Amino acid sequence: MERYNEVLTKLIDFRDKRDWKQFHDSKNLATAISIEASELNELYLWKTVMESEEVDINKVKEELADILSFAFLLAEKHKLNPFDIVEEKIKINAKKYPVDKAKGTAKKYTDL
C-alpha cells in the first residue's frame, strides 16, 4: 500500500503541475482507459498467438502504465482503493466461477 500511495502522489503531482485535473472527470478518465487499452490491443493486432508472445515488452509496459495511471486517477477521484476493489471482485468471481465447474474452461459463468 505504501508503494501505491507513493506512485499515486507522483501521478497527482505530475497532473497538477500541468493543470490537467480540470480534464479528469469520470467520463474522460474512463474514455482514456479505453483508448489506452485499445493501444495495447493494437500491439497484438493481426499476430498469431506465437507472434503475440514476442511483442516488444517495452511497448506493453508503456501502454499498461497509461492504463494503470488513468485507472488509479479514476479510483482516487472516487476514493476507491484499487487493491480493495480487486479483492472484492475476486470474491465475487469465486462465487460465479467455482473451481469444480470453471477449472480448465473459458466459459462464462452463465454457461457453466
Side-chain angles (χ1 to χ4, degrees):
M1 194 61 184
E2 185 177 323
R3 181 81 169 116
Y4 168 70
N5 288 330
E6 181 183 320
V7 170
L8 184 60
T9 298
K10 289 178 182 178
L11 192 55
I12 290 169
D13 183 57
F14 179 89
R15 176 201 67 194
D16 290 351
K17 284 181 177 174
R18 288 153 182 82
D19 193 26
W20 288 350
K21 187 176 182 179
Q22 63 181 315
F23 307 116
H24 288 183
D25 57 84
S26 297
K27 178 197 70 75
N28 281 317
L29 288 168
T31 302
I33 293 167
S34 177
I35 290 167
E36 296 301 339
S38 294
E39 290 179 10
L40 176 64
N41 280 325
E42 188 176 24
L43 298 176
Y44 299 100
L45 184 63
W46 312 123
K47 293 186 172 38
T48 65
V49 172
M50 187 176 283
E51 290 169 337
S52 71
E53 296 301 330
E54 298 171 0
V55 168
D56 182 345
I57 195 66
N58 289 316
K59 291 180 180 178
V60 173
K61 284 171 40 178
E62 189 174 323
E63 298 308 336
L64 276 174
D66 289 340
I67 294 164
L68 290 168
S69 294
F70 288 124
F72 288 170
L73 287 168
L74 183 59
E76 186 271 337
K77 178 176 183 43
H78 294 284
K79 299 182 181 6
L80 300 171
N81 179 310
F83 299 102
D84 290 345
I85 62 177
V86 168
E87 285 181 339
E88 288 174 25
K89 187 63 175 181
I90 291 169
K91 289 176 185 173
I92 291 167
N93 284 343
K95 290 178 183 173
K96 286 183 180 178
Y97 297 96
V99 174
D100 62 320
K101 292 184 180 178
K103 188 172 184 176
T105 182
K107 291 181 181 177
K108 187 172 179 175
Y109 69 95
T110 54
D111 297 330
L112 293 176

